[in-house]
């Protein structure tokens, strides 16, 4: 009788350990899946940013042919492009992306002063591709931030917070717009009339 009770207690303990182990494994696997979703979404942002970086030299070269004296705008685009290419974190990429967007906005103002450039087929095609890429970047950022939200909620909520703490899953960083992106870029052609 005492031996039966001992086996029963051991059986209950083993069952609790097995159930707890299954919960930990399931939660860990869930974190792995969510982290992969975040990484996959982030790679889509990087793909679109790379596409944008690849388009910009062609756009700049086309504009150079028409507006050779607009060196400052062209230089700011090249500098911003280099910073974006060298950015390694979501926040650094967001900041560099905002700088590049501002520089491209100034370029579009320059283009307004060159009707022949606006009518150029290569320029029009590049601008269309760039506009499409900008839309893809916006969608990729939204998708990434959605995945980060799901992941971060799992990391913060009970019992996920315990499992995340034990297994080393930390919160992910959102792809946030740079605060300076809220201000429209100032463009001055020095036309004091």
């Amino acid at each position: 009788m005492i031996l039966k009770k001992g086996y029963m207690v051991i059986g209950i303990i083993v069952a609790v350990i097995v159930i707890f182990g299954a919960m930990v494994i399931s939660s860990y696997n869930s974190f792995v899946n969510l982290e992969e979703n975040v990484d996959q979404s982030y790679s889509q942002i990087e793909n679109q940013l790379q596409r944008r970086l690849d388009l910009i030299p062609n756009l700049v070269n086309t504009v150079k042919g028409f507006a050779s004296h607009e060196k400052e705008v062209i230089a700011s685009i090249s500098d911003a492009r280099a910073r974006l290419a060298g950015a390694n974190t979501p926040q650094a990429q967001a900041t560099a992306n905002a700088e590049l967007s501002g520089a491209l906005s100034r370029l579009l103002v320059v283009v307004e002063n060159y009707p022949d450039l606006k009518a150029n087929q290569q320029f029009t095609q590049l601008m269309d591709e760039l506009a499409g890429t900008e839309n893809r970047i916006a969608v990729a950022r939204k998708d990434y931030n959605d995945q980060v939200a799901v992941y971060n909620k799992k990391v913060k909520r009970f019992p996920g917070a315990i499992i995340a703490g034990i297994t080393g899953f930390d919160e992910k960083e959102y792809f946030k717009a740079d605060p300076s992106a809220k201000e429209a870029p100032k463009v001055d052609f020095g036309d004091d009339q």
Side-chain angles (χ1 to χ4, degrees):
M1 197 82 149
I2 294 177
L3 196 56
K4 279 187 174 181
K5 286 186 178 182
Y7 285 135
M8 203 153 129
V9 168
I10 291 174
I12 291 172
I13 291 172
V14 168
V16 167
I17 290 172
V18 168
I19 291 171
F20 180 73
M23 288 174 43
V24 169
I25 290 170
S26 174
S27 187
Y28 177 82
N29 288 340
S30 177
F31 276 116
V32 169
N33 289 337
L34 291 173
E35 187 173 53
E36 282 300 312
N37 290 346
V38 169
D39 291 344
Q40 181 183 18
S41 294
Y42 186 67
S43 72
Q44 287 304 313
I45 291 175
E46 290 180 320
N47 288 341
Q48 296 308 319
L49 290 175
Q50 185 61 51
R51 183 174 192 269
R52 183 188 203 197
L53 289 175
D54 293 344
L55 285 171
I56 288 173
N58 295 331
L59 183 67
V60 167
N61 287 334
T62 303
V63 172
K64 274 184 185 178
F66 282 88
S68 59
H69 63 282
E70 302 292 352
K71 291 179 180 155
E72 183 181 319
V73 172
I74 292 168
S76 70
I77 290 172
S78 296
D79 293 345
R81 181 181 179 271
R83 278 191 289 283
L84 181 58
N88 296 324
T89 66
Q91 195 54 47
Q93 283 182 327
T95 301
N97 185 48
E99 289 177 29
L100 185 56
S101 293
L104 288 171
S105 295
R106 288 188 295 279
L107 176 69
L108 294 178
V109 172
V110 168
V111 168
E112 291 298 319
N113 290 333
Y114 296 91
D116 292 340
L117 176 59
K118 288 194 304 187
N120 180 284
Q121 184 178 0
Q122 181 182 5
F123 177 78
T124 304
Q125 180 182 358
L126 288 168
M127 288 305 299
D128 289 345
E129 287 184 39
L130 190 59
T133 300
E134 295 296 328
N135 290 335
R136 289 184 189 107
I137 291 170
V139 169
R141 284 177 50 185
K142 181 199 175 303
D143 291 346
Y144 170 77
N145 285 340
D146 288 347
Q147 292 297 328
V148 168
V150 170
Y151 175 85
N152 284 349
K153 287 175 188 174
K154 175 97 173 165
V155 168
K156 291 178 182 179
R157 290 182 180 161
F158 182 81
I162 294 170
I163 305 300
I166 293 170
T167 56
F169 288 97
D170 297 321
E171 284 185 59
K172 298 288 184 182
E173 188 177 342
Y174 286 97
F175 196 102
K176 297 178 184 172
D178 186 57
S180 65
K182 292 179 183 176
E183 296 177 24
K186 292 180 176 40
V187 179
D188 180 15
F189 290 110
D191 294 338
D192 296 331
Q193 294 175 331

